């Protein structure tokens, strides 16, 4: 393939679509989004019952953008008529945005490896070799679960692999992990009248912190709190699972306090994600939290020209795992690309006005705890 694109974006989720819509508005004519499935594929894999934790509200007419929007002046609440969009609905919103901006996307193209030589990225895909001067890695986390958090974890069932909670056979489950996914699983199964035992390393529902990347969100806490006093939910808090073992009739779940919990059903792993950047390990360096080390414009410190967009982005204590957080860095990346590729960056003024541009991270200090 002889065409060398200015920019290739990997992934057509909120990050890929968000960055691509900026490049389009900057009149770039040489960029392409490569997507292994289709727009919003991760959201299409969410369990049918799952909804966005962060609320959507059409406040854009008053200069406040919907928390789940990826482009200023758009609103999933307005497009979908939903306050907490399902995965399927949110994928529809992304599709509407992509069509509105006529973003060039190649669906069904999986990126397997990227190398850089003489300032050109060679991108090996299921559709052959692509080349570009810059790469924006926006392949997310959801499709890359951590399946080996402790010995025997492969005997469990990762929550990201569950298509619908109502299709799960069994009446009594052990859920490992007590953050959003784990407590959502407890809520969904409790609603179906099924019993759960949640084994949680950290009691996120008791953590006093203003950042929902650390404490359980009010949305999830309010849904699940009535189960705390019922016989449908047993909490084993501040306890880490150390191993799962098969035992003739089911599974023994061992914890760090020496207890063993038995379950007939496969234990549900709500233990997080390894993340897609494992595919580009050769192009990144990692820090103390295993985060990809980036400079102040989200470019890999190990590889010039490779930018990271999405929930794997982390700057010290700033965790960008929600859309309303990482979307504020799309314009930072676009500004860098615009200046290197001599694009029209005037659209960035609108992004700044609409609170879609957070360059100085000292601005995102912690809220007062009142
Ligand atoms: C249980 C749960 C609930 C959540 N709820 C919320 C919420 O309420 N609000 C919120 O803001 N965030 C929420 N999040 C987080 C949010 O879903 C993610 O941060 C978001 O999906 C990240 O967007 P992304 O575009 O970076 O990645 P993704 O949405 O995962 O998109 C990545 C895209 O890249 C494609 N891709 C992957 N690998 C390749 C490859 N090798 N080659 C080509 N294409 C590839 C995928 O098919 C996919 O379409 C939630 C996450 C979870 C797990």
């Amino acid at each position: 393939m002889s065409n060398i694109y200015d920019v290739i974006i990997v992934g057509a989720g909120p990050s890929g679509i968000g960055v691509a819509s900026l490049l389009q508005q900057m009149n770039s004519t040489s960029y392409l989004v490569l997507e292994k499935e289709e727009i919003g594929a991760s959201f299409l894999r969410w369990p049918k019952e799952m909804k966005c934790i962060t609320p959507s509200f059409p406040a854009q007419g008053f200069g406040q953008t919907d928390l789940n929007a990826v482009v200023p002046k758009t609103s999933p609440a307005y497009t979908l008529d939903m306050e907490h969009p399902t995965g399927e609905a949110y994928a529809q919103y992304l599709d509407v945005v992509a069509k509105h901006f006529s973003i060039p996307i190649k669906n069904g193209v999986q990126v397997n490896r990227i190398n850089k030589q003489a300032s050109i990225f060679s991108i090996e895909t299921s559709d052959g070799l692509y080349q570009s001067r810059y790469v924006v890695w926006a392949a997310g986390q959801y499709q890359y679960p951590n399946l080996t958090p402790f010995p025997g974890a492969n005997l469990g069932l990762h929550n990201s692999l569950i298509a619908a909670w109502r299709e799960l056979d069994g009446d009594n489950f052990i859920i490992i992990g007590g953050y959003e996914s784990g407590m959502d699983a407890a809520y969904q199964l409790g609603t179906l009248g099924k019993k759960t035992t949640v084994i949680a390393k950290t009691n996120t529902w008791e953590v006093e912190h203003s950042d929902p990347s650390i404490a359980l969100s009010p949305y999830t806490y309010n849904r699940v709190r009535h189960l705390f006093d019922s016989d449908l939910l047993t909490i084993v808090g501040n306890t880490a699972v150390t191993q799962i073992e098969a035992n003739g009739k089911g599974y023994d779940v061992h914890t760090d306090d020496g207890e063993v919990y038995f379950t007939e059903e496969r234990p549900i792993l709500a233990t997080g994600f390894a993340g897609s950047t494992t595919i580009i390990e050769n192009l990144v360096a990692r820090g103390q939290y295993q985060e990809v080390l980036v400079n102040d414009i989200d470019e890999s410190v190990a590889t010039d020209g490779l930018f990271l967009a999405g929930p794997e982005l982390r700057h010290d204590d700033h965790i960008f795992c929600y859309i309303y957080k990482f979307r504020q860095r799309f314009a930072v990346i676009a500004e860098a690309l615009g200046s290197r590729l001599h694009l029209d960056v005037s659209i960035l003024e609108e992004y700044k006005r609409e609170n879609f541009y957070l360059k100085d991270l000292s601005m995102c200090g912690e809220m007062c705890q009142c």
Side-chain angles (χ1 to χ4, degrees):
M1 221 164 282
S2 58
N3 188 19
I4 298 178
Y5 291 92
D6 280 345
V7 185
I8 282 188
I9 298 171
V10 183
S15 308
I17 297 297
V19 174
S21 53
L22 258 167
L23 287 177
Q24 190 66 33
Q25 293 175 88
M26 285 158 52
N27 301 326
S28 169
T29 51
S30 176
Y31 79 97
L32 181 65
V33 180
L34 298 179
E35 164 56 52
K36 75 183 175 64
E37 294 174 19
E38 57 186 308
I39 295 173
S42 295
F43 288 85
L44 292 170
R45 287 172 180 229
W46 278 18
K48 289 276 171 283
E49 300 90 342
M50 203 165 97
K51 295 178 179 177
C52 284
I53 303 154
T54 44
S56 275
F57 197 85
Q60 67 277 23
F62 283 79
Q64 301 296 327
T65 314
D66 187 316
L67 283 183
N68 297 314
V70 293
V71 176
K73 297 188 171 150
T74 70
S75 162
Y78 181 72
T79 304
L80 306 166
D81 251 338
M82 283 183 196
E83 187 180 14
H84 291 277
T86 59
E88 197 177 345
Y90 192 78
Q92 251 178 52
Y93 158 75
L94 292 179
D95 198 47
V96 168
V97 172
K99 288 206 169 77
H100 174 78
F101 288 105
S102 304
I103 293 171
I105 301 177
K106 275 209 169 186
N107 283 325
V109 178
Q110 172 155 338
V111 172
N112 297 321
R113 189 175 168 79
I114 304 182
N115 291 304
K116 189 179 183 197
Q117 259 190 338
S119 74
I120 299 296
F121 287 97
S122 292
I123 301 163
E124 296 170 22
T125 80
S126 54
D127 185 42
L129 190 69
Y130 287 76
Q131 290 186 309
S132 65
R133 292 184 178 82
Y134 298 97
V135 168
V136 178
W137 188 260
Q141 291 179 303
Y142 194 72
Q143 300 187 38
Y144 300 86
N146 180 2
L147 298 174
T148 54
F150 44 74
N154 56 312
L155 297 169
L157 177 61
H158 197 276
N159 71 292
S160 65
L161 302 173
I162 293 168
W165 291 105
R166 60 180 173 273
E167 288 168 12
L168 218 53
D169 289 333
D171 293 312
N172 207 330
F173 293 88
I174 287 182
I175 298 167
I176 303 169
Y179 185 44
E180 294 296 341
S181 304
M183 297 315 275
D184 184 66
Y187 164 74
Q188 301 292 355
L189 290 167
T191 302
L192 294 166
K194 304 192 181 217
K195 290 188 174 177
T196 57
T197 299
V198 171
I199 306 179
K201 212 176 343 188
T202 308
N203 291 8
T204 57
W205 54 94
E206 289 171 358
V207 171
E208 287 284 335
H209 203 286
S210 58
D211 186 348
S213 298
I214 293 171
L216 195 67
S217 69
Y219 176 63
T220 302
Y221 181 63
N222 280 316
R223 285 180 304 149
V224 87
R225 68 198 306 175
H226 72 281
L227 292 174
F228 279 69
D229 300 324
S230 79
D231 65 349
L232 288 173
L233 174 62
T234 305
I235 295 278
V236 181
N238 294 322
T239 302
V241 168
T242 51
Q243 186 175 9
I244 302 176
E245 267 184 331
N247 133 355
K249 301 180 194 129
Y251 305 88
D252 285 334
V253 177
H254 298 256
T255 57
D256 60 355
D257 54 5
E259 296 290 330
V260 180
Y261 297 84
F262 173 76
T263 169
E264 283 179 19
E265 314 304 335
R266 286 178 76 186
I268 294 166
L269 301 179
T271 44
F273 300 91
S276 61
T277 52
T278 47
I279 296 177
I280 48 166
E281 207 62 68
N282 57 318
L283 300 177
V284 303
R286 296 201 182 258
Q288 58 169 319
Y289 308 103
Q290 286 309 302
E291 80 280 21
V292 170
L293 290 175
V294 290
N295 61 17
D296 61 356
I297 50 171
D298 300 349
E299 185 176 24
S300 165
V301 298
T303 309
D304 294 349
L306 170 68
F307 293 86
L308 178 64
E312 281 196 64
L313 183 64
R314 181 168 182 150
H315 284 272
D316 301 319
D317 288 339
H318 301 305
I319 306 168
F320 286 79
C321 72
Y322 283 98
I323 293 160
Y324 74 88
K325 295 180 173 186
F326 63 69
R327 72 180 181 193
Q328 298 198 61
R329 303 293 292 183
F330 299 161
V332 174
I333 294 175
E335 186 175 47
L337 290 171
S339 113
R340 293 182 204 180
L341 294 166
H342 310 292
L343 299 173
D344 172 7
V345 293
S346 53
I347 185 66
L348 296 177
E349 291 312 312
E350 178 181 324
Y351 275 64
K352 289 176 188 170
R353 272 197 313 275
E354 302 279 336
N355 292 325
F356 253 74
Y357 176 90
L358 178 67
K359 188 158 188 186
D360 178 1
L361 292 172
S362 67
M363 298 293 288
C364 69
E366 199 180 303
M367 235 166 66
C368 72
Q369 301 278 341
C370 49

